[in-house]
Amino acid sequence: VGGTIERDALSYDIFSAVGRAARLGEGRILGDLDADRVIATGHSQSAGRLATYLNNVHPRDAVYEAVMVHGGGGELRTDQPVKIFKLMAETDMPRRVASRQPDTDTFRQWEVAGSSHVDIAFELERERVFALADRRPLGSAEPRAPGCDLPEFSRVPFRYVMHAAFEHMVRWVDDGTAPPTAPPLDTAEAGPPAVFSRDARGNVLGGIRLATHAVPTATNTGLNSGSNRLCRLYGSHEPFDNDTLASLYPTHDAYVDQVKQAVTANLAAGYILAPDARTTIRDAERSDVGRPYGAITGDHLKTNVRELTAMSRRYRDAGHQFWGRIIGTEADTENAEWMAERLRTAGVPDVRIQTFDLPAQWMPQSWSVTATSTNGSLTLASAQPAYSSSPTPSGGLDLHVVYVGLGTAADFAGRDVAGAAVLISSMPMRGALRHTATLNGAIQRADELGAAAILVSLALPGNLTTQFYPTRTEAPTFSLGGEDGTALREAIELGAVRVRIDLDVEMVEGLQTANVVGELPGTTDETIIIVSHRDGWFEGANDNASGVSTALVLAEYFASRPQSERRRTIRFVGSPGHHNSGRVGIQWMVDNAESVFENAALLLNLEHTAGMQTLRYGNSLEWTNQTAPFMWYVGGSPALQQIVVEAYESFGVPLLLKEADRPIGEIGPIYEQAPSFQLIDSGEYFHSDQETAATVPADGIEAVTRAFAKVIDEANRLNRAELQRVTP
């Protein structure tokens, strides 16, 4: 059209032209560099295009000395003077077994057992690219949770074999030293699609067997399925249970020795390079395989966190401006059913969903806050109504804005805020739970002085959307992100500003929620009660997908052990939570305390079980590689306190030096019913739309969950009376 070519018909000629220019130095496309050799490569769809090019274009005008085709491509012509290396993941082979080609002087094919077309490293790099594009910290990059039938993304490092293949390719071109051959995957049926032979745990036989596959701690495959059509590319990763790991690797040294043997064999065969060999051995030495609680892994814990945060996003994407795992909504129902099923899958035999009617629930339907001045209009996209905030009248509010700084009595002195929208700057301490506008009474002061609306700008870098707890104000009250608050204040500095505020709220009747209860029987009628609240605002990763994940992995850990090793019955309670009007789940436990806690030896609250430590530098919030220190509480005997503190020290759980006077959070109304303990952290991303799975460090939640498992084991060695606080 108009002299342009809108198809890719010329792409093959362009590919030749670029290769020729690189070879001959035409146009200096490599700058001051000269090309000693020119090798073509392509992955996946590009591999298919490269195969077409190699079969039909390259024989007419040979440009490349060698071609690396990986992750795709059909049968290739080998009747031309070009070295061809075909490198396939397990994912890539089911439809290509029937067209396998024999190795020749100019052709090699390697197949990597257990690897997937898109593995965990590939996925993380993809997400890091998006983080850079979105100007987010690289640490915020997290694998997606695409909702496949099996846990996604193989952990077999395909890239290690690719590194070796390229080294062989260079030598092949330079001096004719052909790469080593490699066995294909063992094929039971050629198909297509082919069916591969597998061991008793589902790992494929044959092929290049890296240590991750040859000395497995999980079932890693190149296969998956699901409603997402791309699931077939992601492969799967299913960690072994405790019994399987213990039977395979009775000690840590036994595991490391087997890894070293596999690495040595692959290095000698030429399938990996020395740096990757060293990394593999180092990772094995640093692992906890063969050590107590080694089966509790951060990788597995994070999988649960991602699945729960994905539920929140699905609720948001269904059109809800007020979103998260909101009590009484379909997101609440989904995560209750999910948790119940996960407990059953873990091996908890008695799992039930205990349904409760809810009082009328505050459900904002829609809202907007827009500022206007002589310089134009500004939509305050981060505006979020405080929980239970009053709605605006029909038609909304149109108000002039008064800025009162931090909102102290001195800031309000001489200012008439009656009938106005009041803008308050609030300093976090460290997150949204505690900030100066609540502690110094600024919000209540504005309400008492007759403000018609209250806007609280939380002074954190970026533009977080934050959900406040109820402010108990008559005036509609909103939180604002730091950027929106600054922009509004700067507009006020230039002249008069008005805001248009609309907030539509319904008090919804007839909703229900539930406790998810699972009982893992022990050898006595005494109980250990583990509580984790299921709800969360926004993605709610730390608050409280982390706690639910910890509960589920503890269920898996203790269910995998013989009942004879469990002194006490463990009762898991996934309560609805407290981010709503009415804590019906915990209230039921209060109302039935006599029966619930009759034989309770221990009460454990799993809430915010790991959060990323962040530091503020200038006007940016920098991520660290550390877990934030926890507030902590132990309500029981000195012996219990010693057990708990020593468990935290064993696994490097960071703590504030001073113990809290009492627990906060879900077990507040019941903590005195039994010896109890908890950890909790509420950081900068708490109650915000930035509290994603990335803010839950894998090593942090792993350490906490292992420590809790150790506490339960140690406490089970003591009689119930030895755990209880001695009252004077």
Side-chain angles (χ1 to χ4, degrees):
V1 178
T4 64
I5 297 175
E6 296 184 329
R7 302 186 308 276
D8 57 5
L10 292 181
S11 62
Y12 300 107
D13 188 54
I14 293 170
F15 195 67
S16 287
V18 171
R20 187 180 298 105
R23 174 191 290 278
L24 301 177
E26 296 173 353
R28 304 307 300 175
I29 65 171
L30 299 180
D32 295 331
L33 299 176
D34 293 319
D36 294 329
R37 61 191 75 83
V38 182
I39 298 172
T41 185
H43 177 69
S44 192
Q45 185 179 24
S46 295
R49 304 279 299 172
L50 186 55
T52 300
Y53 173 81
L54 186 62
N55 288 339
N56 299 285
V57 179
H58 196 259
R60 298 170 178 268
D61 183 14
V63 173
Y64 296 95
E65 288 125 314
V67 178
M68 176 74 73
V69 179
H70 51 96
E75 192 169 350
L76 301 173
R77 287 181 59 173
T78 58
D79 59 343
Q80 50 183 317
V82 60
K83 307 295 193 297
I84 302 171
F85 213 131
K86 197 170 185 181
L87 187 58
M88 298 285 113
E90 181 186 330
T91 306
D92 308 318
M93 288 308 299
R95 296 191 177 279
R96 293 181 173 87
V97 165
S99 59
R100 274 183 180 137
Q101 296 173 250
D103 290 336
T104 70
D105 291 341
T106 60
F107 179 83
R108 283 291 183 275
Q109 178 160 322
W110 285 1
E111 300 168 12
V112 185
S115 62
S116 56
H117 190 83
V118 176
D119 63 14
I120 191 65
F122 189 114
E123 171 69 7
L124 280 172
E125 287 305 313
R126 174 189 181 276
E127 292 302 307
R128 288 186 180 112
V129 169
F130 286 121
L132 284 173
D134 296 339
R135 299 173 63 188
R136 291 185 284 113
L138 281 178
S140 69
E142 281 285 306
R144 292 164 292 169
C148 303
D149 294 334
L150 298 173
E152 303 87 2
F153 307 118
S154 169
R155 271 52 169 183
V156 174
F158 180 88
R159 63 194 182 281
Y160 289 2
V161 179
M162 180 177 287
H163 297 163
F166 271 109
E167 284 292 312
H168 287 301
M169 177 71 84
V170 171
R171 283 198 295 272
W172 204 5
V173 171
D174 286 353
D175 61 21
T177 301
T181 59
L185 300 176
D186 283 359
T187 306
E189 299 176 21
V195 176
F196 298 122
S197 302
R198 299 185 180 276
D199 65 19
R201 297 178 185 87
N203 283 316
V204 71
L205 301 175
I208 292 177
R209 306 177 67 75
L210 297 177
T212 312
H213 192 78
V215 191
T217 59
T219 301
N220 283 291
T221 80
L223 310 179
N224 212 327
S225 58
S227 56
N228 184 332
R229 65 183 181 84
L230 296 180
C231 285
R232 62 186 178 83
L233 303 178
Y234 298 152
S236 64
H237 172 77
E238 298 177 276
F240 292 159
D241 60 27
N242 301 318
D243 288 345
T244 300
L245 285 173
S247 66
L248 291 171
Y249 316 112
T251 67
H252 180 65
D253 287 343
Y255 170 67
V256 173
D257 286 345
Q258 290 187 47
V259 169
K260 287 180 177 178
Q261 292 173 23
V263 167
T264 300
N266 281 318
L267 192 60
Y271 300 148
I272 58 173
L273 301 179
D276 294 327
R278 290 193 293 270
T279 297
T280 303
I281 292 172
R282 182 195 65 202
D283 290 346
E285 290 173 338
R286 292 178 176 177
S287 78
D288 291 290
V289 177
R291 290 174 170 153
Y293 310 106
I296 297 173
T297 67
D299 187 42
H300 183 41
L301 285 152
K302 284 292 293 285
T303 297
N304 293 331
V305 173
R306 293 187 193 103
E307 292 192 22
L308 283 161
T309 55
M311 292 179 200
S312 292
R313 293 194 301 274
R314 283 195 291 274
Y315 185 72
R316 175 199 64 191
D317 295 343
H320 298 94
Q321 193 175 2
F322 178 56
W323 63 279
R325 296 183 298 282
I326 306 297
I327 296 174
T329 69
E330 53 265 40
D332 182 19
T333 301
E334 181 183 4
N335 86 70
E337 293 173 347
W338 176 87
M339 184 177 185
E341 183 57 32
R342 284 304 175 92
L343 285 170
R344 294 185 187 103
T345 302
V348 178
D350 180 9
V351 180
R352 59 193 182 276
I353 294 179
Q354 181 185 25
T355 305
F356 303 108
D357 293 327
L358 283 164
Q361 293 292 294
W362 181 85
M363 293 286 181
Q365 304 301 300
S366 64
W367 65 88
S368 64
V369 181
T370 304
T372 57
S373 67
T374 56
N375 293 320
S377 64
L378 171 67
T379 299
L380 302 175
S382 66
Q384 182 82 5
Y387 193 85
S388 77
S389 186
S390 302
T392 57
S394 177
L397 295 170
D398 186 356
L399 309 169
H400 76 280
V401 187
V402 177
Y403 176 59
V404 295
L406 294 175
T408 65
D411 291 313
F412 274 96
R415 296 175 185 266
D416 181 9
V417 299
V422 172
L423 173 62
I424 302 169
S425 288
S426 191
M427 306 303 295
M429 303 176 175
R430 1 188 323 257
L433 179 62
R434 295 177 180 86
H435 54 101
T436 56
T438 54
L439 296 183
N440 70 14
I443 295 174
Q444 290 300 324
R445 191 171 291 116
D447 200 48
E448 291 166 1
L449 291 173
I454 303 169
L455 306 174
V456 182
S457 172
L458 197 61
L460 282 168
N463 206 34
L464 279 64
T465 298
T466 300
Q467 184 67 63
F468 287 169
Y469 280 123
T471 55
R472 297 177 175 82
T473 50
E474 294 293 330
T477 302
F478 289 79
S479 63
L480 295 179
E483 291 180 1
D484 277 348
T486 298
L488 184 56
R489 174 183 55 78
E490 290 175 346
I492 294 170
E493 291 169 357
L494 297 175
V497 175
R498 300 190 69 83
V499 289
R500 170 77 186 189
I501 301 176
D502 289 278
L503 173 58
D504 177 20
V505 175
E506 291 184 13
M507 295 301 294
V508 181
E509 303 272 2
L511 299 178
Q512 289 187 321
T513 189
N515 278 338
V516 178
V517 183
E519 294 208 356
L520 184 63
T523 56
T524 70
D525 61 357
E526 292 184 353
T527 58
I528 294 172
I529 301 173
I530 297 177
V531 176
S532 54
H533 74 81
R534 299 181 292 102
D535 67 324
W537 284 321
F538 307 108
E539 295 196 34
N542 192 20
D543 181 19
N544 188 39
S546 64
V548 172
S549 180
T550 292
L552 292 174
V553 172
L554 288 175
E556 293 170 357
Y557 177 77
F558 286 104
S560 71
R561 292 163 58 175
Q563 183 175 348
S564 60
E565 295 181 10
R566 298 192 298 267
R567 176 176 181 176
R568 298 179 170 106
T569 293
I570 304 177
R571 180 181 300 147
F572 298 91
V573 181
S575 65
H578 49 263
H579 300 112
N580 76 317
S581 309
R583 300 173 64 166
V584 293
I586 289 297
Q587 188 59 46
W588 183 89
M589 298 179 74
V590 172
D591 295 341
N592 295 274
E594 185 174 345
S595 60
V596 170
F597 297 100
E598 180 182 6
N599 296 308
L602 201 61
L603 170 63
L604 171 55
N605 186 33
L606 305 182
E607 191 165 357
H608 312 192
T609 52
M612 182 70 67
Q613 172 79 346
T614 56
L615 296 174
R616 185 163 183 171
Y617 283 98
N619 198 34
S620 66
L621 202 58
E622 298 296 333
W623 293 38
T624 73
N625 61 355
Q626 301 295 316
T627 301
F630 292 94
M631 295 181 283
W632 60 286
Y633 169 83
V634 182
S637 67
L640 176 61
Q641 182 158 23
Q642 182 177 352
I643 286 171
V644 172
V645 173
E646 287 182 355
Y648 294 159
E649 291 175 349
S650 295
F651 295 103
V653 176
L655 303 174
L656 298 178
L657 291 179
K658 184 178 183 298
E659 180 186 3
D661 295 330
R662 55 167 291 163
I664 61 173
E666 188 67 354
I667 67 166
I670 58 174
Y671 76 98
E672 293 181 310
Q673 298 291 336
S676 59
F677 67 101
Q678 75 164 59
L679 294 169
I680 194 166
D681 166 63
S682 303
E684 283 78 6
Y685 294 116
F686 177 65
H687 284 185
S688 83
D689 62 344
Q690 298 301 304
E691 193 192 310
T692 65
T695 66
V696 177
D699 55 351
I701 192 172
E702 175 184 279
V704 168
T705 307
R706 290 178 177 180
F708 288 162
K710 181 176 174 63
V711 170
I712 292 170
D713 279 337
E714 296 294 327
N716 272 337
R717 296 189 175 97
L718 299 181
N719 293 326
R720 189 177 170 201
E722 295 176 284
L723 297 170
Q724 294 172 335
R725 187 189 300 274
V726 178
T727 55

